[in-house]
Amino acid sequence: MSGRGEGRMKKRPFIIDCDTGTDDAIAVIAALGCEEICVRAITSVNGNARERDTSRNNRNLIAYLGMQVEVAHGASSPLYPRGEYYDDTHGNSGLGNVVLRDAEEYLYSEDMASEVIRRIAEGEKGDLELLVVGPMTNIAIALTMYPVLKEQIKHIWFMGGAVHGGNITTCAEFNVWVDPAAAQIVLNSGISMTMVGLDVTEQAAMKREDVDELRVCGTKGAVLVADILDYMLERYANGGEDALMHDASALAAAVYPECMDFEPYFVDVECGSPYTAGHTAVDVRGRTGKEPNVNVAVGIRTDEFRQWLKECVRKC
Ligand code: RIB
Ligand code: CA
C-alpha cells in the first residue's frame, strides 16, 4: 500500500507553442484533458493567422474552458525574411466560423513567449517538455537568447515537416515553410525531439461520426471540438483540407505513442532556395553519414488515434 500520494505520478509539465488555428485549438483542448500532463503555459506565434489573432484565440479558449493557464504573446513574424504570414485555411480569425466570447478580463502574461519558456524551464529543473505546433519562431528566439535552455528542455514534440511531400509547396510543410530559419535553429539545437510530419498527420482525419459522438458527450471541450470539426468538414466538402488533426497528432506522439511508429533519422531544413525553403531533408537512406537527431513519426493507427483524441477531449 503506497503512502499518501506516494504512488501518484508527477504530471509532465508542458508548454504549448501554437498558431491557433482550428487544429491547434483541438490539440490544446485535448492536452488540457490529458491526465498525464500539466499545461504550464500556452504561447502564440504568427502562422495560421496574425499573432494578435492566435493569441486572442488562446486567451478566449482558456477563458471559455474556465482554466487557469498562463497565455503569452509571441512572435508576430518569422525569423526567415518572409514577413507576417497568414491565409484563410483557418478563416480570418483562425478558428473558422467558431466564435468565442472575447475574454478581455483575462490578462495575458506580462512576459513574451521566449521569457515564459526560460522562466518555466528553469523552474521545472529539466522536466519541461514543449509541444510545438506552429512555426518555430518563438522556440528559436528562446534558444538563441538563453542557450542554457538546450540543457533544460527535456524534449520537443513538434508538428512539422514531412519525409515526403508538402502542403504549402510541393516539398515543404506549412509550419516549417513559414519559418525555415527558426526550424533549422531548433533542429540543430541538440535537444531531444520528435517530429510528427505530414506522412502521419495526413492520415489523422476525424469523421462525421466523431462529431456526432462528441456533441452527445456534452462537455464544454467536446462541444467546442464538435463545432470546430463541423467547420473543418464543411471546408473539406467545399474543396478545402480535410479535418486533419495535424497538431493533436504531435500530442499523441507524446502521450499515446502506442498508436504510432517512429524511426530515428538525421533531419535538417533547406533554407537557401525560394523553391525549396522549408523542405525537411530526412536522411532515410543514411546518405549524410550524420547521426540521427530526430525521432520521426512514420506511421499511425488512425482509428486508435481518433478514439484516444475523443477520450481526451471528453475530459475537458
Ligand atoms: O501543416 C499543418 C500545420 O500548419 C498545422 O500545425 C496547422 O495548424 C498549421 O499550423
Ligand atoms: Ca498549428
Side-chain angles (χ1 to χ4, degrees):
M1 180 72 173
S2 64
R4 181 176 167 72
E6 283 174 12
R8 232 192 341 257
M9 289 283 286
K10 176 179 180 277
K11 291 197 172 198
R12 293 159 61 182
F14 270 75
I15 289 177
I16 303 176
D17 188 74
C18 47
D19 59 334
T20 305
T22 52
D23 65 316
D24 305 70
I26 292 174
V28 168
I29 294 167
L32 293 168
C34 266
E35 289 160 353
E36 303 90 325
I37 70 177
C38 169
V39 179
R40 295 291 318 279
I42 301 176
T43 54
S44 56
V45 66
N46 163 235
N48 286 323
R50 298 178 181 90
E51 192 281 335
R52 68 168 184 250
D53 294 320
T54 60
S55 54
R56 192 189 66 245
N57 291 337
N58 288 336
R59 178 202 63 189
N60 294 347
L61 177 59
I62 291 303
Y64 164 80
L65 295 170
M67 299 271 183
Q68 288 303 319
V69 177
E70 185 173 4
V71 176
H73 284 285
S76 54
S77 60
L79 300 180
Y80 185 79
R82 189 181 301 287
E84 181 186 52
Y85 181 88
Y86 58 93
D87 64 30
D88 62 359
T89 303
H90 298 251
N92 191 39
S93 72
L95 289 181
N97 59 7
V98 172
V99 179
L100 293 174
R101 179 183 69 83
D102 247 348
E104 293 181 356
E105 77 284 3
Y106 198 99
L107 300 181
Y108 289 104
S109 172
E110 291 176 2
D111 293 327
M112 290 292 283
S114 51
E115 177 55 25
V116 170
I117 294 168
R118 182 207 65 76
R119 168 170 32 91
I120 295 176
E122 184 178 60
E124 289 296 348
K125 298 179 174 38
D127 286 341
L128 179 65
E129 299 174 70
L130 304 184
L131 180 66
V132 181
V133 293
M136 298 188 193
T137 315
N138 291 329
I139 316 308
I141 292 170
L143 295 178
T144 305
M145 289 177 68
Y146 310 111
V148 69
L149 286 171
K150 295 175 185 177
E151 282 74 54
Q152 290 175 330
I153 293 172
K154 183 175 185 179
H155 198 91
I156 295 176
W157 308 88
F158 74 91
M159 191 281 135
V163 179
H164 304 288
N167 62 353
I168 183 80
T169 68
T170 51
C171 62
E173 176 278 330
F174 179 81
N175 287 339
V176 179
W177 176 84
V178 169
D179 201 346
Q184 193 171 62
I185 290 169
V186 175
L187 280 162
N188 288 283
S189 66
I191 296 172
S192 169
M193 69 183 72
T194 297
M195 165 177 151
V196 181
L198 296 177
D199 318 275
V200 158
T201 68
E202 288 183 338
Q203 300 176 55
M206 300 301 275
K207 299 180 178 181
R208 170 57 53 197
E209 66 204 60
D210 299 318
V211 181
D212 299 340
E213 195 180 319
L214 286 170
R215 210 171 281 293
V216 165
C217 162
T219 61
K220 292 188 84 170
V223 168
L224 181 55
V225 168
D227 290 344
I228 295 171
L229 289 176
D230 266 335
Y231 165 78
M232 297 175 92
L233 287 170
E234 183 185 339
R235 179 185 67 185
Y236 182 52
N238 291 311
E241 183 176 83
D242 199 350
L244 297 178
M245 299 293 99
H246 296 289
D247 296 342
S249 297
L251 175 67
V255 298
Y256 185 45
E258 299 85 342
C259 76
M260 289 182 182
D261 302 310
F262 304 87
E263 289 292 342
Y265 293 125
F266 174 75
V267 183
D268 202 347
V269 181
E270 169 60 44
C271 290
S273 153
Y275 305 115
T276 57
H279 173 65
T280 46
V282 182
D283 187 16
V284 295
R285 299 180 189 281
R287 284 275 187 265
T288 66
K290 294 184 176 183
E291 285 301 307
N293 57 335
V294 182
N295 207 25
V296 179
V298 294
I300 185 172
R301 282 165 285 287
T302 303
D303 289 348
E304 293 173 33
F305 166 79
R306 287 170 47 225
Q307 293 315 318
W308 164 83
L309 180 55
K310 288 181 286 185
E311 277 311 306
C312 292
V313 160
R314 278 194 189 96
K315 294 170 191 165
C316 193

